Amino acid sequence: MAEKQSTSQPPQTPQNPPQTEDTPEVGEEEVEKKEQEELPPFEIVEGSRIPASSFKFQFKNVEYSSGRNKTLLCYTVERAGGQVYSGYLEDEHAFSHAEEAFFTTVLPQFLSAGPVTVTCYVSSSPCVSCAASIAKCLKRSKALQLRLVLARIFQWEEPEIRGALRGLRSAGCALRMMRSTDFAHLWKNFVEPDAPVDGEEGVVEGEGGQVGGEFGVFIPWEDLEENSRYYEEKLAEILR
């Protein structure tokens, strides 16, 4: 499928005016309210590639996801006739989530044309609200087969999160954790390398040194396999 351009421009975060003696101080609550009113709910990007540095940070399957305050969702939609569509969505701020955007805005256009098989690779598992929305979509759409492949589990210690994941499984969603082959698949099909190193075209810098190729080669981080097994154990415990 030919690549499509972004359907919208990234929202610009409003800048606060410089404080002077003549400028009244604006309270934090008023600033938050103003930003919430001005920012659109999400940005949808289809057919584009994720910057390599963003992918390596947001999809890294660490136990504690400090600083990773957005969700990236890569999807493939397969129709019965063999047509395959793909793209990715990204949270631009904290007031809505990529999962909700996909299941309410992107997926419905495919469901009207018969059975579809959807695979979503998500940097973090859905929150309670998004999990409930996905479960409702599955119950409404009998022609939908869904698999969520997760890099991390969001707040897995919380009973509400654990219950939400069990609810997804009960609604018919297949859940599993990402493995090294999944990260490599995303790197090949969804990632745009960062700027070339030392002016060498087609060469990108990976963790552990330079790597070559049109889009580079995925270099696993040190604890990828260990962290993947850790999360697999946690998911199995939750779904037991």
Side-chain angles (χ1 to χ4, degrees), residues 29-239:
E29 291 185 3
E30 293 182 16
V31 172
E32 277 191 24
K33 183 177 180 182
K34 187 175 190 303
E35 289 181 351
Q36 189 168 359
E37 290 173 350
E38 292 186 3
L39 287 170
F42 47 77
E43 180 191 12
I44 298 176
V45 181
E46 291 187 74
S48 298
R49 290 178 175 263
I50 306 166
S53 54
S54 179
F55 172 81
K56 286 188 287 187
F57 180 74
Q58 297 294 344
F59 271 92
K60 195 169 185 178
N61 59 349
V62 291
E63 180 178 358
Y64 298 104
S65 54
S66 177
R68 293 168 174 83
N69 55 2
K70 64 166 62 180
T71 299
L72 269 62
L73 182 151
C74 302
Y75 66 85
T76 60
V77 178
E78 301 177 52
R79 283 181 169 165
Q83 294 173 303
V84 179
Y85 303 86
S86 64
Y88 89 93
L89 284 75
E90 176 180 336
D91 293 343
E92 286 297 333
H93 53 83
F95 304 121
S96 69
H97 298 154
E99 302 97 312
E100 182 178 358
F102 175 73
F103 283 93
T104 60
T105 305
V106 178
L107 184 59
Q109 64 186 299
F110 298 105
L111 293 177
S112 59
V116 294
T117 300
V118 176
T119 302
C120 293
Y121 299 88
V122 194
S123 60
S124 183
S125 62
C127 68
V128 173
S129 177
C130 286
S133 296
I134 296 170
K136 287 180 182 178
C137 182
L138 281 165
K139 291 174 181 176
R140 287 195 308 266
S141 307
K142 301 303 181 184
L144 170 63
Q145 291 187 340
L146 174 65
R147 177 174 58 175
L148 290 184
V149 188
L150 315 171
R152 301 185 303 275
I153 303 178
F154 173 71
Q155 296 182 350
W156 61 265
E157 306 97 332
E158 299 297 327
E160 295 85 358
I161 294 292
R162 299 165 77 91
L165 292 174
R166 286 192 290 268
L168 275 174
R169 198 261 308 269
S170 297
C173 176
L175 291 159
R176 71 171 177 84
M177 302 309 302
M178 287 181 64
R179 307 182 184 104
S180 57
T181 52
D182 299 306
F183 289 105
H185 169 76
L186 292 186
W187 184 267
K188 178 181 178 181
N189 294 285
F190 291 91
V191 174
E192 179 73 34
D194 293 330
V197 178
D198 296 329
E200 295 184 22
E201 186 175 354
V203 178
V204 297
E205 179 73 20
E207 294 183 14
Q210 293 184 8
V211 292
E214 183 182 1
F215 293 111
V217 176
F218 176 65
I219 305 297
W221 44 88
E222 182 179 357
D223 300 325
L224 186 153
E225 292 290 354
E226 180 181 347
N227 293 345
S228 180
R229 288 192 296 270
Y230 171 85
Y231 274 121
E232 284 178 345
E233 291 174 2
K234 292 302 178 185
L235 182 61
E237 174 191 324
I238 291 168
L239 298 180

